Amino acid sequence: MGIRKNYILVILLLLLLSSCTTSKTVVSRSVDLGKYEYASIINNDTYHIPAELMEYEIQLFDAVENSNLKLVSDARIYELSRSQQERLLLVKYGVNVQTEETIVTVNFIDYLTGRPVVSCRGAYSSLGVAGASHDINGAIKRVAKQISEAFSK
């Protein structure tokens, strides 16, 4: 009977700890997201996933593309007309992997003003049980859902 209580206690503790891992989206109150049509993912030394994690970068690109924004290479932004640039968002992302949780953050910034308009955060934790790659996949799926919900309104 004591062993069963210990298992139940462990399960309750795991549920409590995993409930602290939250995903969320913050949208600027004064911005109409419906006006944006294009997105360009910044891919430089600051916003770049190491080559060994390229599969996750592909998933991040897919998540942005699934938001119904048309992807534009950061090298081709200057080829867009002024009208198209007014409907362009720059996308910056970050991945923070820790034992207790993995967080993927994707920020959308108005190209012309430099003003952040949306920040999506996907968090996931298996409490170190399933491994970092599992947690990164989970966090990317959650941030993809946040992005879809933000731009579907």
Side-chain angles (χ1 to χ4, degrees), residues 136-148:
I136 292 172
N137 276 322
I140 289 174
K141 286 178 184 174
R142 288 189 176 170
V143 82
K145 181 179 179 197
Q146 298 295 320
I147 293 168
S148 258

Side-chain angles (χ1 to χ4, degrees), residues 25-91:
T25 298
V26 176
V27 179
S28 174
R29 293 181 191 179
S30 62
V31 175
D32 173 20
L33 294 182
K35 84 173 196 174
Y36 294 104
E37 188 177 341
Y38 304 98
S40 181
I41 298 174
I42 303 302
N43 195 5
N44 58 28
D45 291 337
T46 305
Y47 300 98
H48 186 72
I49 292 178
E52 61 272 12
L53 300 177
M54 184 59 75
E55 67 182 280
Y56 304 114
E57 190 168 39
I58 291 168
Q59 292 173 343
L60 283 170
F61 272 69
D62 287 347
V64 172
E65 195 170 45
N66 288 334
S67 69
N68 295 322
L69 295 169
K70 296 175 189 156
L71 285 178
V72 176
S73 166
D74 55 348
R76 303 196 71 158
I77 290 174
Y78 299 106
E79 296 174 15
L80 296 174
S81 69
R82 172 74 177 191
S83 172
Q84 290 171 317
Q85 289 176 353
E86 288 173 357
R87 299 186 311 267
L88 174 65
L89 290 170
L90 298 178
V91 182

Side-chain angles (χ1 to χ4, degrees), residues 7 12 21 24 45 53 80 101 105 112 124 126 140 152:
Y7 282 124
L12 289 174
T21 302
K24 68 178 183 175
D45 291 337
L53 300 177
L80 296 174
E101 72 179 346
T105 306
L112 290 181
Y124 189 86
S126 65
I140 289 174
S152 69

Side-chain angles (χ1 to χ4, degrees), residues 85-120:
Q85 289 176 353
E86 288 173 357
R87 299 186 311 267
L88 174 65
L89 290 170
L90 298 178
V91 182
K92 297 180 180 180
Y93 58 85
V95 178
N96 184 2
V97 178
Q98 297 179 348
T99 306
E100 45 293 338
E101 72 179 346
T102 297
I103 298 172
V104 175
T105 306
V106 180
N107 298 308
F108 295 84
I109 300 160
D110 183 281
Y111 174 72
L112 290 181
T113 66
R115 184 183 198 286
V117 295
V118 177
S119 180
C120 298

